[in-house]
Amino acid sequence: MKHFIFFFTFLFVFSACQQNDMVDPTLEQPTKINYSTKNAPFNQKVAKKAEEIAESYDGVPKAISVNTDRKLLLAFQLDHMKRFQLKQKEKTIEKKLKKSFRDYDVTVSSDMKIYWETEKLINKLENLDKREMNKKVENIIQLSREET
Amino acid sequence: MVASFFWAFVIGGLICVIGQIMFDVFHLTPAHTLSTFVVIGAILDGFGLYEPFIDFAGAGATIPITSFGNSLVHGALQEAEKHGLIGVLTGMFEVTSSGISAAIIFGFIGALLFKPKG
Amino acid sequence: MLKGHRTWVFHNQPVIISTATVGGPFEANGRLADDFDLLHEDLWLGEDSYEKAHKVLFEEAFYKAIEKGNIEKEQVEFIISGDLVNQITPSSFAARTFGVPYLGIFGACSTSMEGLALSAFIVNYGGAKYLLTGAASHNTAIEKQFRYPTEYGGQKPPTAQWTVTGAGAALLSNEGKGPAVTSATIGRVVDLGMSDPFNMGGAMAPAAVDTIEAHFRDLNIDADYYDLIVTGDLGKIGRNVALELFEKNGVQMDEEKFQDCGLMIYREGQPVLSGASGAGCSAIVVYGHLLNRMKKGELKRILAVATGALLSPLTFQQNETIPCIAHAVSIEFRG
Amino acid sequence: MANEQRKLQTKIMQEYYQLEKKNETKRPVVQNCLRAFLVGGIICSIGQAIQFFYMYFFHFTQQTAGNPTVATMIFLSMLLTGFGVYDRIAQFGGAGSAVPVTGFGNAVISAAIEHRTEGFVLGVGGNMFKLAGSVILFGTFSAFVVALIKTILIKWGGF
C-alpha cells in the first residue's frame, strides 16, 4: 500500500508541475484580439482575410495568420471532437486559400506548436523589419514541414 | 489543452483495458498481448486509420505500444514513396528508432547502475 | 521394508537429531519468523548474484544443522539435497563446499520430502550413521529461472504463489533422540491436464491426494492416525481442491487437520496471492515450525506431503501440461 | 495456452478440470480493468504532459515531439524499474503499465538488469530482448507486410 501511495503522489506531483509549467496561450486570450499590425513590415490585410476564411469553416474556432510579400502562413485550431478529420480539414483549407490567394505561397498548419510560434510572431510584428520577418516566417514554415 | 489531456487519458486508458481483457479473459501472456497490439497498430496504419486517431487522442495513441506498429509502417511507407519497394525495407526503423534506441541505451545504463531489487 | 505398493516402513527408526532453517527478509516478516535459526535482512545475502545467495542459504542451513546436532562436519557421511535452479547448482555447489559424498535430487518443490524419505531409507538400513538432507529455494533466483525477470512488470493472477526464500536441513542418524521417521510413501507422477504455470496448486492437488490415499491404503490407516497432515505448497486453491477430491473419493479428512505449508509461512496481508511455494517452503515449515511444535508436545504424529510441479519454462512454452508429484513422509515423536 | 481451448483427453481430466475451475480464485476482471484504465490513463497523460513540455520549450511540433517523448518515457521507465517500483505498479495496474511504451522499456531494462550477473556481453547483451524481442519481431514483420501490400497497391493497383 505504501508503494502505491508513493507512486500516486509521485505521479500527481509530476503531472501537476508539468501542467503548471506550461502557460496556455490559448486560455489566456480566449477572445479575438485585434493585434495591432498597422506597423508591420508587410501589410497584413491578406492574413486577416485568410483568418476570416479559415474561421468560416465549421469546427474552426480560431485561426491566426501572417503574410509576407510572397508567403502566407496560417495556423488554426480545431474543436477537439473534430480532430479525427484534422488532416482533411487542413487540406481543404489549404486548397481554398491557395485558390483565393494565387500570388502567395500558402502554408496551412493545424499543429499546436506552429500555432504558438505564429502567435508569438504576430505579437512582435511591429518591432521587426522585412528581412527579419521573412526569416522568422520561413523558420516556422520549415518547422511545419519537418517529419517524424 | 485540457481536452488533449482528457482524451489522452481516456483513450490511453481504454487501450490498456483492452490489454487487460486479453490478459484476464483470454489468458494471454504479456508478450502475446503486446505482439498482438503491435500488429494491430501496423494494420490500422495500413488502412490509414491510425493517424487520425493520433490527431484526436495525442499521447493516448502514441504512448501505447500500438503506435510502435504504426510508426514502423509509417517509416516504411514514407521511404517507399521516395525510393519504391526497396524503401519498405530501408525506411522501417526511420520513425521508430527513438523508441528502440532509447530502450537499448537506457537498458544498458540501467544494467550499469542498478541491481534487481527482487 | 516395503509395505503395500509404495510405502517404506522404517523399523529401525531413523531419528532427526537436529534441523536448521534459514530464511530471507520476506520470511522474517512472516508468521513463522520465530521458528527460524537464521534470518537474513538482505535478499542478496552479501553475494553478487542470487544464485550464489541461494547456495549460501544451503551452506548455512547445513552448518547450522551440524552445529545443533553436536557433531563434526567430518562425521557427516552423505548429503542428499536439491533445489529448483537449473541442474540444481546451488545444492551441488554447497556440497562442494562441504566435500561430503553427495546425491543431488530433483523433485521440484517435493525435493524436501523426497530427500527425507531417501535419507531415512539409507539410515534405516545402515547405509549411513549421519546423513544430511535439505532443500532450498530463493525467490528471485527461481523467479528468474521459471518466470520473468524480477523487475519485469508482469501482473500475477490471484492463483499465483510466492516462492519462499529459505533453506531447511535435517540431520538424520540411526541413534539419538528426536522425532523419528517412521514411514514414507513415494508418489507417482500425476498429470490431469492442467497447464497454467500461474496455478501450481490446482495442478498439484491430485498428486497430493493420490499419495495420501496410497499411504493410508498401504499402511491400512486413516486420517485419524495423524495429528496433522500437511501438504507442501498447494496454496489456497490447491488445498480446497484436495479437500474436495478427498470428499469425492470417499476419504474422510478433517479440514482442521489438513493444513498446507504454503499457507502457514506468511501473514495475512503479505502479497503472496494464493500462498507460498518453492522447495524451501515445505522444508522450512516441517524442519522448523512443525518439529518445534512436536518437541513442545503439541503434535505427536504428522504426515508431511511435499508436492512438486515438474515443469520447466521450456515445457510450458511447448504447450505441455504440468506433471506433478508428491512424496509423503510420516514423522512421529515418542518423547 | 488457454486452458479452455485445449482438448482434455480423458473423462477424468475433464471432470478434474471442472472441479479445479470451481475452486479457482477468479481473476477480478472488472477491478483489474478499472485499475488498468487508471494506470494506463495516467501514464498516457504524463506522456501528453511531456509532449507539451517538448513543444513549448523546444523546437518540436506536435508530430516531431513524439520521439523525444517516447525516449523520455523510457528513461522514466528505467528509473522506476531500477528502483524496483515498476513491478509493483504493474501488479496493481496490469495491462495499464504493460501496454504503454514504458512497459516495453521495462521489459528491456528489467531483462538487462536481471542478467548483469552473467556479464555484460552474454548476460545483458544476450538477454536484453528476451521479452521485448517478440514485440520488435512481430511489429517489424507485420509492418513490412502491410507496407509492402500498400506500396504495391498504390504503385500498380492505381489506388
Side-chain angles (χ1 to χ4, degrees):
Chain A
M1 204 51 224
K2 227 166 64 189
H3 296 290
F4 293 132
I5 293 169
F6 166 74
F7 163 49
F8 283 115
T9 333
F10 171 76
L11 287 186
F12 179 74
V13 170
F14 190 81
S15 46
C17 324
Q18 288 291 23
Q19 283 169 39
N20 290 341
D21 282 349
M22 288 175 303
V23 187
D24 192 338
T26 53
L27 287 181
E28 279 173 355
Q29 300 147 351
T31 46
K32 270 193 109 172
I33 286 171
N34 284 320
Y35 301 111
S36 78
T37 49
K38 275 177 203 156
N39 302 326
F42 298 102
N43 190 324
Q44 295 296 304
K45 238 184 212 156
V46 175
K48 281 270 173 288
K49 190 89 205 318
E51 277 171 25
E52 270 166 37
I53 292 174
E55 277 168 16
S56 71
Y57 279 88
D58 181 35
V60 181
K62 204 152 186 291
I64 52 173
S65 174
V66 281
N67 67 288
T68 62
D69 49 354
R70 263 163 289 140
K71 299 207 161 145
L72 175 66
L73 169 67
L74 181 125
F76 69 95
Q77 291 186 344
L78 196 60
D79 285 345
H80 204 94
M81 296 311 289
K82 295 230 164 61
R83 282 183 72 90
F84 277 116
Q85 294 103 38
L86 193 73
K87 292 273 144 59
Q88 282 125 285
K89 212 74 180 191
E90 214 176 280
K91 268 186 200 143
T92 7
I93 293 177
E94 186 161 359
K95 232 185 216 164
K96 172 80 183 165
L97 289 184
K98 272 187 177 150
K99 240 188 201 166
S100 311
F101 310 104
R102 286 178 191 280
D103 305 337
Y104 288 87
D105 181 3
V106 179
T107 307
V108 172
S109 174
S110 57
D111 201 288
M112 189 82 89
K113 178 72 179 172
I114 305 299
Y115 189 92
W116 290 345
E117 290 296 317
T118 313
E119 197 164 46
K120 265 191 225 162
L121 179 64
I122 290 174
N123 280 332
K124 52 184 183 189
L125 270 185
E126 294 185 341
N127 311 324
L128 296 173
D129 61 29
K130 286 191 179 184
R131 204 173 54 87
E132 277 171 333
M133 180 158 169
N134 266 327
K135 213 173 134 198
K136 289 235 146 108
V137 171
E138 188 55 36
N139 277 347
I140 299 177
I141 291 172
Q142 282 307 321
L143 189 65
S144 79
R145 300 250 161 93
E146 264 178 37
E147 277 170 348
T148 67
Chain B
M1 195 96 134
V2 179
S4 304
F5 277 100
F6 177 76
W7 286 111
F9 186 95
V10 170
I11 300 293
L14 283 179
I15 294 177
C16 294
V17 168
I18 298 173
Q20 188 69 41
I21 289 172
M22 287 163 79
F23 280 6
D24 280 354
V25 179
F26 300 105
H27 288 241
L28 294 176
T29 64
H32 282 85
T33 308
L34 298 188
S35 302
T36 314
F37 269 34
V38 174
V39 174
I40 290 173
I43 293 172
L44 282 180
D45 195 49
F47 288 108
L49 295 173
Y50 209 86
E51 272 302 286
F53 188 50
I54 291 178
D55 289 334
F56 179 72
T62 55
I63 295 297
I65 199 75
T66 35
S67 76
F68 190 69
N70 156 64
S71 38
L72 282 168
V73 173
H74 234 69
L77 287 177
Q78 261 174 32
E79 281 286 296
E81 234 169 70
K82 286 183 214 151
H83 306 294
L85 273 186
I86 197 73
V88 172
L89 268 181
T90 55
M92 196 91 75
F93 284 98
E94 202 135 285
V95 193
T96 355
S97 52
S98 82
I100 295 178
S101 46
I104 293 176
I105 289 160
F106 293 134
F108 189 66
I109 294 175
L112 291 174
L113 293 180
F114 298 108
K115 277 170 129 190
K117 294 277 186 301
Chain C
M1 194 187 88
L2 185 69
K3 198 168 180 212
H5 252 300
R6 42 176 158 141
T7 301
W8 292 328
V9 178
F10 306 122
H11 291 297
N12 298 332
Q13 308 241 335
V15 173
I16 301 174
I17 55 172
S18 69
T19 57
T21 50
V22 184
F26 202 67
E27 289 65 36
N29 290 325
R31 204 180 292 165
L32 303 184
D34 296 337
D35 288 308
F36 284 96
D37 293 302
L38 213 64
L39 282 167
H40 285 278
E41 240 178 32
D42 172 23
L43 207 50
W44 290 83
L45 274 64
E47 298 293 320
D48 57 13
S49 81
Y50 283 135
E51 286 75 15
K52 282 184 191 162
H54 195 333
K55 181 199 76 175
V56 170
L57 284 177
F58 257 122
E59 290 174 352
E60 286 177 346
F62 286 160
Y63 270 120
K64 201 82 195 165
I66 294 171
E67 189 191 310
K68 281 169 78 182
N70 259 332
I71 61 164
E72 294 299 316
K73 195 179 87 178
E74 286 68 30
Q75 288 175 268
V76 177
E77 280 146 345
F78 297 101
I79 291 177
I80 299 180
S81 63
D83 56 77
L84 293 166
V85 174
N86 272 343
Q87 286 84 34
I88 55 169
T89 47
S91 164
S92 304
F93 283 29
R96 175 180 70 184
T97 315
F98 280 81
V100 172
Y102 159 73
L103 289 167
I105 52 172
F106 180 82
C109 310
S110 71
T111 305
S112 57
M113 289 308 126
E114 184 182 352
L116 186 60
L118 284 171
S119 308
F121 188 87
I122 292 171
V123 171
N124 185 55
Y125 288 104
K129 189 156 192 298
Y130 291 107
L131 195 151
L132 255 181
T133 182
S137 53
H138 188 288
N139 180 285
T140 42
I142 306 304
E143 288 289 316
K144 178 179 177 181
Q145 165 81 43
F146 280 91
R147 297 185 188 97
Y148 299 118
T150 49
E151 293 306 325
Y152 178 63
Q155 192 180 35
K156 288 187 181 141
T159 52
Q161 287 168 275
W162 179 277
T163 307
V164 167
T165 303
L171 183 63
L172 271 79
S173 174
N174 52 3
E175 56 188 35
K177 272 190 173 174
V181 182
T182 51
S183 64
T185 302
I186 304 301
R188 52 179 186 153
V189 176
V190 176
D191 185 346
L192 286 186
M194 306 310 290
S195 63
D196 184 358
F198 281 114
N199 184 9
M200 297 292 195
M204 293 189 296
V209 169
D210 180 74
T211 303
I212 294 171
E213 285 177 9
H215 182 80
F216 290 168
R217 207 165 42 234
D218 286 349
L219 295 180
N220 203 10
I221 51 174
D222 58 21
D224 291 338
Y225 183 79
Y226 292 105
D227 299 324
L228 185 70
I229 293 171
V230 65
T231 49
D233 48 4
L234 291 184
K236 267 179 227 147
I237 297 159
R239 180 168 172 270
N240 291 341
V241 173
L243 279 170
E244 202 161 318
L245 280 177
F246 281 129
E247 202 184 312
K248 207 177 117 199
N249 297 354
V251 176
Q252 178 225 334
M253 181 62 73
D254 188 355
E255 219 172 293
E256 285 289 294
K257 209 182 263 182
F258 186 69
Q259 296 294 335
D260 185 67
C261 299
L263 296 172
M264 295 163 110
I265 297 187
Y266 299 116
R267 277 179 215 288
E268 289 285 311
Q270 280 185 298
V272 296
L273 302 165
S274 189
S277 75
C281 173
S282 49
I284 284 172
V285 176
V286 173
Y287 295 155
H289 178 65
L290 292 179
L291 286 190
N292 284 349
R293 275 176 68 186
M294 288 181 98
K295 281 172 195 160
K296 276 185 226 153
E298 288 173 35
L299 300 167
K300 285 251 174 296
R301 299 166 177 156
I302 64 165
L303 183 68
V305 189
T307 45
L310 305 169
L311 83 168
S312 81
L314 185 89
T315 61
F316 153 64
Q317 282 162 9
Q318 291 175 344
N319 281 338
E320 292 267 6
T321 52
I322 305 174
C324 298
I325 196 161
H327 303 293
V329 175
S330 153
I331 304 171
E332 297 184 24
F333 194 63
R334 303 210 173 97
Chain D
M1 284 301 316
N3 281 332
E4 288 83 354
Q5 290 158 7
R6 208 163 26 75
K7 286 194 186 74
L8 297 159
Q9 292 90 351
T10 64
K11 194 160 174 278
I12 301 171
M13 284 183 178
Q14 283 161 10
E15 268 176 26
Y16 179 68
Y17 180 73
Q18 299 302 331
L19 190 146
E20 201 279 334
K21 270 277 128 31
K22 203 179 68 193
N23 279 290
E24 200 172 301
T25 321
K26 296 284 167 297
R27 299 189 189 202
V29 179
V30 176
Q31 187 196 350
N32 277 352
C33 284
L34 280 173
R35 287 172 167 183
F37 181 74
L38 189 70
V39 173
I42 288 173
I43 291 176
C44 291
S45 305
I46 294 174
Q48 188 71 58
I50 294 173
Q51 191 183 347
F52 274 132
F53 170 80
Y54 277 114
M55 282 162 61
Y56 201 71
F57 292 104
F58 298 91
H59 266 274
F60 289 106
T61 60
Q62 227 157 349
Q63 266 208 326
T64 54
N67 275 340
T69 305
V70 165
T72 311
M73 292 299 278
I74 290 178
F75 175 73
L76 291 177
S77 171
M78 174 190 87
L79 292 182
L80 291 177
T81 307
F83 288 117
V85 184
Y86 205 88
D87 55 333
R88 301 214 156 84
I89 300 172
Q91 183 59 33
F92 178 82
S97 62
V99 170
V101 73
T102 47
F104 175 77
N106 170 252
V108 174
I109 294 153
S110 66
I113 294 175
E114 182 86 354
H115 289 279
R116 64 173 271 170
T117 53
E118 287 105 285
F120 285 110
V121 176
L122 298 175
V124 177
N127 289 295
M128 197 178 235
F129 286 103
K130 198 165 87 165
L131 293 161
S134 61
V135 171
I136 296 179
L137 164 64
F138 286 102
T140 310
F141 189 73
S142 62
F144 176 73
V145 173
V146 167
L148 197 66
I149 293 173
K150 205 168 175 188
T151 311
I152 290 172
L153 284 182
I154 290 169
K155 290 244 157 172
W156 290 289
F159 284 95

